[in-house]
Amino acid sequence: MSQTSKSAAPQGQGFSLLKLLLEGRAFFALIVIIAVFSYLSPNYFTTSNFLIMASQVAIFGLLAIGMLLVILNGGIDLSVGSILALCGVIAGAMMQGIEIKAMGVILYPPVWAVVVITVTIGALVGAVNGVLVAYLKVPAFVATLGVMYVARGVALLLTNGLTYNRLAGSAELGNTGFKWLGSERIAGIPISVLILAVCAVIAWLVLSRSAFGRWLYASGGNERAAELSGVPVKFVKVTVYTLSGALSAVAGLVLSSQLTSAGPTAGTTYELTAIAAVVIGGAALTGGRGTVLGTMLGAFVIGFLSAGLVIVGVSSYWQTVFTGAVIVLAVLMNSIQTGKGGKKA
Amino acid sequence: MSATATKPDTAEVVLAARNVAKSYGAVHALKGVNFDIHRGQVTTLFGENGAGKSTLMKILSGVIQPTSGEIILDGKPVAFQNSTHARDLGVSIIHQELSLAPNLSVRDNIFMGREIMGPTGVNFAEEEAQVRKLMADLEEDIDPLTPVEDLRLGQQQIVEIARALSVDSRILIMDEPTSALSATEVEVLFKVINDLTSKGVSIVYISHHLEEALQITDHAVVLRDGTMTAWAPRAEIDLNWIVRNMVGENYNLGSPPDGYAFGQTALSVQNMVLPDPGGNPYNVVDNLSLDVKAGEIVCIYGLMGAGRSELMEALAGRYRQQSGRIELLGQEISDLSIAGRIASGLALVPEDRQRDGLVQTMSVGQNLSLASIGAFTRGLFTSRRAEKALVADSIKRVTVKTSGPDAAIGSLSGGNQQKVVIGKMMATNPKVILLDEPSRGIDIGAKAEVFRLLADGAKQGLAVVYTTSEVSECLSIAHRIIVMHKGRITAEFGADATKEMIMAASGEQHAA
Ligand SMILES: Nc1ncnc2c1ncn2[C@@H]1O[C@H](COP(=O)(O)OP(=O)(O)OP(=O)(O)O)[C@@H](O)[C@H]1O
Ligand SMILES: [Mg+2]
């Protein structure tokens, strides 16, 4: 009996109007930011500036995708900024050559190998987070806080606090091309932006269309119910932290390539920016709610805002104030929205 | 029978709803209802799942506001701002779904938001003493300092009741307070209710256990699809009256399906021992062996704490520390994970739907398909079309009353949420299905449907094991009735057992 399906009008599922309006918040904020700064500065609304800003956003965007996965799972990953630095430094060390004293040789791995090794290391550090949280039951905040310190410390130890500057490689050693990631373009679009786009599309597909995505939303919403429904909740947990670590490594590679240097203090407080992007994008820190589209908009809101403030010459102190205000505003709107919906209990 | 027949009774009306309507978008939960609460009497409210009972009670206790209509308190119209306001005016409510903070102690939950203040902060000693007194009144052995998450469901419900009692309200609304209580606990609660009414407290009582509710009712009201369909004082009603007005027909929980032979042994448990997961030095499942054949329906009866839920969860793979052998269709499955057991055909419908059954952040459809994601995954991706078909099929199979698969799970009435949990596990096409208190919070019509569903499944060769705390539910479709007590099987009966035999074997002091 009784299926009162009047409201089920045929519509393209992913893009119902209501959904668009909900996610629209971050979207409208982005439009406003672009409009205001375009009005204030003639240099803002230009293709070249957009591409520059977008390549800066790429770093935060990559971190934010990983952060989104972790937050959907009901966790948090404070170690992304440190993993970024650690991986950048490791890549830098390999580009400068690894001296093995015992054998008296210096190894110069080709760039592709550097990339593979670096991303693997990032994933491994992330997996440590995951194992701590999933199997050893350390609260995510504490586990990743610890790893944040350890990773940063190791980065400082490796470099003695110094920065690697010679990342270009040389032709006779066959390891040129590291610059490609951060400064080349395909069809006018920076590689870093393309990497972000590819990662975002993959993440979107995984979250909306794959079994893993469904597992992630379910275990973030109610882990016990998910487990009893046959969701491998521990596997999901370890995987999201691993992916977050791997994405941090990618971000580290892109950043050191953009800067053509790799320092152990890179990416400090980037974890907070990534969390902010996810939150502005409408995800719930309690888990189970959030989308890739929202997170990307969140990353662009933050990136375009701070770039705009720089362009119109606002002091960096004010930039910090503005960024903070935007974050609070976004979360305020989140809680107004869930406050309304959550009354029914 | 007419809906407007709500004329004042002998006892004075203390709280009344006049023409109250409530809509959620296109869903009209209430369509102009009149409802009276009489001083010092028990008004019972009956109705199918989704009839609007909880909605009406939430309006009368200030939790939600009506779309239209009036609430009259002591003869004067009143608009409750929120539940605290209503509580200050003397109306409190025990919610159908538990609303306790699991990390806090029993004491802190009971006094949450109304802490007793002393000169140096909260007067914990006084609070604790009051909780001890309440627990003594309810004849429960619950320590005020235990965290609520360590209590079993029935005890949590007791805490919820104690919290409402501690307020000293004039009007107390109880929305299915007994769904997880044992017969003895219910008797104690009824004693407490009688005490309260003799002091002039007015009670509203909602339950799907009709016989139980009839014991204490002074007036009965029946809601159907958001309108009041019948009202009568105690003297004029009986079980048939309620059922007729609720669903418009007689009901029958069914009888054991017959006309076919059982198949091979589907589930075989040998010498299962499960130490208390809470760390106490006894076994909650104590050297238990059980065989269930394909096509057979087995009912496990027992009191709260008999170890039924633990047995079920151990079979589903929740615990790691159990010993003994579990075979599914001759295949040893003790080493499989929960997912592995579901894949090989063993499904569990857990007892506590909020905590173990539903993902609140997901829609009705996503909840229904959660346990069978593999069935609609094609290669790397899930197939929307296959999922839609599976969900539509499940909604039809277990008759979920919802505005559509995209509706939020929280928008469903309690009973319909329960059906979603059952539908989710049925969708995995199990060979053996375990149901822990499947009738918790569902109306008699739905109960009959669920049992018919199980009986149909059994005819196709499904092995069914379900637990219940209501003897009448054992004496319906089960071929075999097993009584559990303290982790052991204390008796086994065929379908021809009587109520008295079963209750005697369960170690229950005589309940009505
Ligand atoms: N927050 C909400 N949003 C949308 N619809 C709702 C909401 N709350 C209740 N409803 C709908 O209102 C109707 C009445 O629900 P209600 O919870 O009052 O039923 P009930 O009689 O208490 O049922 P049960 O016996 O299952 O507890 C149902 O159809 C339900 O789906
Ligand atoms: Mg209800």
Side-chain angles (χ1 to χ4, degrees), chain A residues 344, chain B residues 24 29 48-55 96 176 208 411 413-415:
Chain A
K344 68 201 162 210
Chain B
Y24 293 101
E48 285 182 287
N49 295 133
K53 305 181 295 296
S54 299
T55 306
Q96 178 174 14
E176 297 198 37
H208 288 296
S411 72
S413 76

Side-chain angles (χ1 to χ4, degrees), chain A residues 1-5 7 13 205 209-211 214-215 217-218 221-222 224-225 227-230 289 344-345, chain B residues 58 318 338-339 342 354-359 361-362 366 369-371 373 380-382 384 387 402-403 424:
Chain A
M1 58 162 204
S2 61
Q3 217 198 308
T4 40
S5 42
S7 59
Q13 272 207 333
L205 280 173
R209 300 297 308 276
S210 79
R214 204 55 81 77
W215 290 348
Y217 279 109
N222 182 348
R224 289 174 68 116
E227 186 178 15
L228 279 179
S229 302
R289 278 186 220 277
K344 68 201 162 210
Chain B
K58 284 180 193 161
R318 180 79 170 270
I338 297 176
I342 291 175
Q354 295 302 321
R355 198 178 55 177
D356 299 333
L358 298 169
V359 180
T361 50
M362 295 177 114
Q366 289 173 330
S369 65
L370 181 58
I373 295 174
L380 280 181
F381 296 121
T382 55
R384 286 214 176 122
E387 178 177 11
T402 169
S403 57
K424 172 179 74 175

Side-chain angles (χ1 to χ4, degrees), chain B residues 9-330:
Chain B
D9 193 63
T10 43
E12 171 196 358
V13 173
V14 284
L15 180 65
R18 285 287 164 269
N19 229 344
V20 162
K22 176 75 185 175
S23 305
Y24 293 101
V27 181
H28 301 292
L30 290 175
K31 307 168 187 161
V33 172
N34 294 320
F35 184 76
D36 290 348
I37 302 175
H38 302 267
R39 165 153 313 170
Q41 301 200 335
V42 179
T43 309
T44 45
L45 181 56
F46 298 106
E48 285 182 287
N49 295 133
K53 305 181 295 296
S54 299
T55 306
L56 180 58
M57 293 306 114
K58 284 180 193 161
I59 288 173
L60 287 175
S61 58
V63 179
I64 53 177
Q65 270 66 49
T67 312
S68 65
E70 240 183 351
I71 300 175
I72 298 179
L73 182 68
D74 298 319
K76 286 187 279 297
V78 48
F80 295 132
Q81 307 299 323
N82 50 43
S83 54
T84 322
H85 183 208
R87 195 173 70 195
D88 293 342
L89 294 174
V91 188
S92 57
I93 181 166
I94 299 171
H95 285 287
Q96 178 174 14
E97 311 297 352
L98 297 175
S99 54
L100 302 170
N103 54 330
L104 295 184
S105 69
V106 172
R107 176 197 67 199
D108 294 351
N109 265 289
I110 287 180
F111 286 99
M112 203 191 313
R114 321 174 279 117
E115 290 77 7
I116 302 176
M117 299 306 288
T120 55
V122 180
N123 186 346
F124 287 118
E126 170 61 23
E127 286 190 2
E128 195 176 328
Q130 291 198 18
V131 174
R132 283 196 198 284
K133 163 98 183 35
L134 280 168
M135 289 302 159
D137 290 348
L138 290 165
E139 297 178 26
E140 281 290 326
D141 182 25
I142 300 175
D143 187 85
L145 299 182
T146 326
V148 160
E149 62 198 343
D150 292 349
L151 299 176
R152 62 182 166 77
L153 192 57
Q155 291 176 317
Q156 295 187 10
Q157 211 161 35
I158 294 279
V159 174
E160 190 91 35
I161 293 171
R163 176 162 73 183
L165 293 178
S166 73
V167 185
D168 282 329
S169 314
R170 297 186 292 141
I171 299 159
L172 181 55
I173 296 171
M174 303 184 169
D175 194 351
E176 297 198 37
T178 60
S179 59
L181 298 190
S182 70
T184 337
E185 285 168 328
V186 171
E187 260 185 83
V188 175
L189 178 65
F190 284 2
K191 245 190 282 173
V192 173
I193 290 181
N194 282 330
D195 261 11
L196 288 172
T197 50
S198 62
K199 285 187 214 148
V201 177
S202 320
I203 309 271
V204 182
Y205 188 89
I206 299 179
S207 176
H208 288 296
H209 296 195
L210 308 182
E211 289 138 354
E212 186 187 287
L214 271 180
Q215 292 174 36
I216 49 159
T217 186
D218 292 310
H219 306 268
V221 174
V222 180
L223 270 186
R224 194 169 169 185
D225 278 336
T227 47
M228 198 180 90
T229 51
W231 171 91
R234 174 70 185 98
E236 295 170 22
I237 55 176
D238 58 13
L239 204 55
N240 274 330
W241 179 89
I242 301 173
V243 175
R244 208 172 49 240
N245 285 297
M246 253 174 86
V247 290
E249 64 196 71
N250 285 327
Y251 84 103
N252 181 354
L253 285 183
S255 54
D258 54 12
Y260 62 95
F262 296 154
Q264 64 172 131
T265 304
L267 175 72
S268 167
V269 185
Q270 284 146 36
N271 307 322
M272 180 189 278
V273 177
L274 177 69
D276 180 43
N280 292 314
Y282 55 81
N283 296 327
V284 282
V285 179
D286 197 1
N287 206 11
L288 184 141
S289 300
L290 173 68
D291 280 345
V292 185
K293 293 198 163 66
E296 193 182 14
I297 304 178
V298 174
C299 171
I300 303 184
Y301 177 80
L303 301 180
M304 289 291 150
R308 294 166 303 164
S309 298
E310 288 82 359
L311 169 66
M312 293 285 202
E313 290 182 348
L315 290 174
R318 180 79 170 270
Y319 302 113
R320 289 266 140 245
Q321 62 270 43
Q322 94 248 8
S323 61
R325 223 179 136 75
I326 309 170
E327 279 174 20
L328 189 73
L329 298 167

